[in-house]
Amino acid sequence: MCGIVGYLGRKEAFSILIEALKKLEYRGYDSAGVAIWNRGKIEIIRQKGKVDDLKKLASNKDIKGTMGIAHTRWATHGIPSERNAHPHRAGEVVVVHNGIIENYVELKQRLRNEGRRFSSDTDTEVIPHLINSYVEKGHNFVDAVRLAICELKGSYALGIIKEKERVMIAAKKESPLIIGVVDGESIIASDIPAILDITNKVIFLEDNDIAIFNEEGFRIIDTMGNAVERKIHTINWTSAMAQKGGYKHFMLKEIFEQPVAITNTLTGRVKEDKGEIELDNLKLPNLEKIKKIWMVACGTSYHACLIGKYIFESNLRIPVEVDIASEFRYRDPIIGKDNMLILVSQSGETADTIAAMKEGKKRDSFVLSICNVLGSTLARDADGVVFTHAGPEIGVASTKAFTTQITVLFMLMLFMAKKMGIFTTGQLKEKIGELRRIPHKIQEVLNNAKHIEEIARKYMTYKDFLYIGRGINYPSVMEGALKLKEISYIHAEAYAAGEMKHGPIALIDENFPVVVLSPYDITYQKTCSNIEEVLARRGKVLLFTDTSGHEMVERVESVFVMPKTIYELEPIISAIPLQLLAYYIANLLGTDVDQPRNLAKSVTVE
Ligand code: F6R
């Protein structure tokens, strides 16, 4: 998804902007551009491709200046190309934009009727034209921006500069935008990693904020021109935490970070000696009145919700309905004030999940979000929030966010169970104890990563994979198959193991490996029968079981043995070898693991 950065200070802006853009590469993009202000003139360079290509292009030019804005674009309106890449200019005004302008067609028509000429296919280009039209009517720069954005419908995070004036303006609505707070310099960005080399003091702009930067510093106003105050937050992530830290890819680093990510997520929250969970002063409504819980999310976070359903229903005995965020509101969901809506999102900025939150609020449900990014829209606007302290997740494929989401869902279940008087203190202590052992068990799996790499080498050339599992292992294989397809581009399909004989079994032959996830739990024996069915058709089985699952080990072609845990926590352990299998296959095939084709880290369009 698009990323924007801006700088005003004493140093050369170009290299600062390029470095900051590189830290936003994880968001996924297809083109990049930069505009540098120098003595009242603005020079723009932009092109299709990577930030490094932009740097090469700029090396032939003498780009100097201490103020500028820059952008990575992920195409929504108009193909990836130089003419559609940002920044966009109209007259003296130059703009970078993240988001979508919904009323751009009518604005474009009106501006065209005034004789203005457009040079791209983007929705964004109406913004500089609109601002410029107000400048031409005699408004000062700030008022021109303010009046223009009042006419925009849709979402935007904007960086704006203008010839002749050494002023940079940022504005935000429904797309993330932060200010890095530093003495004598001003920096804006779509996300924290872009500014961490410069500062760890951050302001999260809120919807309808307009920030104005000049030599003296900055001020923030609303769209009516009234001054607004925003809190400065200190971010504890170091810049090194947001880097690869010696691993070949961010994804591999993030897989290996999971013991720490889960430990951080548990820290200060689990009180094993008292059998208690504390969740950041979370205030829940009266649980006796909650008739149904909804869990809504996209992609990997949706799979975490499917696992959450097993965890909640089996323990709390409250019905849980899980929905894909992009589907939720279109089916007029039966949700009201006796329901709780739990939204799960790594970024906290996924447009469909935000839309689901609005739907839940409109219908008076208590809305709780589980997010990884502090200050994100879902974290700010929900009635309650529990953070997954996974740290920055840079690889586009979600890994540590997923396992920390399940961790939070499990803690939340225990927190609610305690309130509802469901478990004895002894039972709570037992469950908390097992949760605390999970990071060590993950480490055991990671210590055997080489074995999974060998398995990956054996199967990397196959073109299709089937993943099967039963019960709580079914959403886990859905996640495993998603990981494989998104980073290796190999077709992978997940099925509930019992469904295989209702159709997919027709596909099984020696060219169709079947990944079977079957820890020794209540579903084990039944899944063994499914393995037999595959073997009878000369299918190849890659079995992921635990230390008690002996029965099929000798009969299948490849086996990986995981440590044992309780049923509800099995998905955290099994996520690790399935993530590693996908990673090693993709790495061996040489794909762009951290930025797979066509994918964006934060999907801020519906
Ligand atoms: C897959 C993946 C995506 C995200 C989805 C939701 O590896 O990362 O499927 O899970 O786009 O994103 P968040 O969790 O940020 O709402």
Side-chain angles (χ1 to χ4, degrees), residues 15-34:
S15 50
I16 292 175
L17 293 172
I18 290 290
E19 285 314 306
L21 276 191
K22 285 183 76 69
K23 308 270 169 47
L24 295 181
E25 283 189 307
Y26 69 89
R27 296 165 73 88
Y29 69 105
D30 49 57
S31 40
V34 60

Side-chain angles (χ1 to χ4, degrees), residues 298-301 344-347 350 396-398 405 482-483 486 603:
C298 299
T300 289
S301 300
V344 180
S345 173
Q346 187 284 130
S347 61
T350 301
V396 163
S398 190
Q405 284 166 353
L482 174 64
K483 285 286 92 84
E486 69 180 330
V603 184

Side-chain angles (χ1 to χ4, degrees), residues 515-557:
V515 175
V516 184
L517 177 60
S518 187
Y520 191 79
D521 61 28
I522 43 163
T523 67
Y524 183 77
Q525 289 305 337
K526 288 270 185 291
T527 311
C528 284
S529 316
N530 301 125
I531 295 175
E532 295 285 7
E533 288 158 12
V534 174
L535 295 178
R537 284 153 188 88
R538 289 178 294 126
K540 294 183 159 43
V541 172
L542 294 72
L543 174 63
F544 291 79
T545 186
D546 62 23
T547 44
S548 307
H550 308 292
E551 203 171 312
M552 302 306 290
V553 165
E554 301 295 322
R555 314 256 327 270
V556 298
E557 201 178 84

Side-chain angles (χ1 to χ4, degrees), residues 268-335:
R269 291 162 159 179
V270 288
K271 315 277 169 206
E272 193 179 348
D273 48 342
K274 293 193 212 149
E276 264 176 29
I277 300 283
E278 278 174 21
L279 283 181
D280 319 345
N281 295 322
L282 178 68
K283 306 258 177 309
L284 290 180
N286 181 353
L287 295 174
E288 302 297 315
K289 298 213 168 112
I290 297 297
K291 298 274 173 296
K292 184 159 89 175
I293 296 172
W294 288 78
M295 294 188 185
V296 178
C298 299
T300 289
S301 300
Y302 166 71
H303 296 151
C305 292
L306 291 172
I307 291 160
K309 177 179 166 76
Y310 284 89
I311 294 174
F312 274 52
E313 284 187 341
S314 60
N315 290 293
L316 303 179
R317 308 309 295 161
I318 302 178
V320 175
E321 190 155 348
V322 181
D323 212 346
I324 296 168
S326 56
E327 291 294 317
F328 177 65
R329 65 194 184 287
Y330 297 112
R331 60 193 185 90
D332 194 6
I334 306 168
I335 179 168

